Amino acid sequence: MRHGGMGVLAAGRRHSAGLRADGTVVAVGDGRAGECAVDGWTGVVAVAVGNVHTARNTGRAHTVGLRADGTVLATGRGDDGECAVAGWRGVVAVAAGWRRTLGLRADGTVLAAGRAAEGACAVDGWRGIRALSCGDWHSVGLCDDGTAVATGNDRYGQCAVGGWHDLVAVSAGYLHTVGLRADGTVVATGRGGGDVAGWHAVVAVSAGSGHTVGLRADGTVLAAGDDDLGQCAVGTWRDVVAVAAGSAHTLGLRADGTVVAAGEGSGGRCDVDGWTLAVTPPGGSPGARSAHRGR
């Protein structure tokens, strides 16, 4: 069974990041806020980038790296404290959203840094969490029992995950949330993201700004939703082991460590032709609760 390569590949609003087999990180795209300043990072086992919907006034973001020792690195936009993670310890998974960062501890509790205005950082009471995802204004957690919790802006029902069950992964986008069930089907709530009701044999999901991407067990890729910039043009991809949906672009990691891209490429966010990434996180995960996307 193919896995979802959680933490090896990340796509944001205007940049992309990838994890190499030696624990170093590569990033391309618009780095005006320092979000691509990852050259000195070592010992990293997972990466995440802040994503936000496509608009003229959006763009500056941050990049987060989880190290094998359970500490966390961050670079880029930090005006709301989203990069204030230096004191975090015992972290086994990270997620980054618009102006915030979440960290999952080995005991199933969650840390948060950054913008709290919409309630997306209100995770203090979460327990028994095994995976995390950040959308624009909401955050989602996958629970040990296969259910999900969500907090933040719920204007379009993007936090309406209370009835979901048998989940193995979750992903939060701009105004929508998707969940991957153990049987390979996908559920969705909120507005946008496309129709995923007929998807099957899926092993990983990733929600972008207005589109949703699914990795199938045979290494092919599905996409639904906004395709104005070609971000859903993934029908010819083969031998893929991980996917990441950005604001208006999509990345796919092949089994040989190379990366393919589709969608909006301005600023260099799709300049991934020369990348060779880790097919699985280097050194394994730092804890039993590593947030794998897939089964």
Side-chain angles (χ1 to χ4, degrees), residues 133-164:
S133 185
C134 291
D136 258 34
W137 294 306
H138 70 297
S139 302
V140 183
L142 171 64
C143 302
D144 283 333
D145 63 0
T147 61
V149 290
T151 185
N153 189 313
D154 190 33
R155 181 177 180 182
Y156 296 100
Q158 57 265 52
C159 292
V161 299
W164 290 1

Side-chain angles (χ1 to χ4, degrees), residues 34-254:
E35 53 264 67
C36 293
V38 297
D39 289 347
W41 288 9
T42 60
V44 176
V45 295
V47 292
V49 303
N51 197 3
V52 65
H53 67 281
T54 301
R56 294 181 63 183
N57 65 340
T58 64
R60 292 189 305 145
H62 67 300
T63 302
V64 181
L66 171 63
R67 302 189 73 193
D69 63 1
T71 60
V72 181
L73 303 165
T75 185
R77 187 195 185 282
D79 297 8
D80 287 274
E82 57 264 56
C83 290
V85 297
W88 289 6
R89 298 292 183 272
V91 176
V92 296
V94 289
W98 182 59
R99 301 189 180 188
R100 75 186 179 284
T101 304
L102 300 183
L104 175 62
R105 291 193 184 112
D107 65 358
T109 60
V110 181
L111 299 164
R115 181 182 173 92
E118 290 81 23
C121 284
V123 296
D124 288 348
W126 286 8
R127 299 290 184 272
I129 304 300
R130 57 182 288 195
L132 299 168
S133 185
C134 291
D136 258 34
W137 294 306
H138 70 297
S139 302
V140 183
L142 171 64
C143 302
D144 283 333
D145 63 0
T147 61
V149 290
T151 185
N153 189 313
D154 190 33
R155 181 177 180 182
Y156 296 100
Q158 57 265 52
C159 292
V161 299
W164 290 1
H165 55 85
D166 297 324
L167 300 176
V168 293
V170 291
S171 188
Y174 173 28
L175 299 174
H176 75 292
T177 303
V178 294
L180 173 62
R181 290 196 183 110
D183 64 0
T185 60
V186 180
V187 290
T189 187
R191 190 177 79 171
D195 183 5
V196 299
W199 288 8
H200 63 278
V202 175
V203 295
V205 289
S206 184
S209 181
H211 72 299
T212 304
V213 181
L215 172 64
R216 300 190 71 192
D218 63 0
T220 60
V221 180
L222 302 166
D226 187 0
D227 192 31
D228 289 351
L229 296 169
Q231 58 265 54
C232 290
V234 299
T236 61
W237 290 4
R238 297 293 183 271
D239 207 25
V240 174
V241 297
V243 290
S247 177
H249 72 296
T250 303
L251 302 178
L253 173 66
R254 293 193 185 107

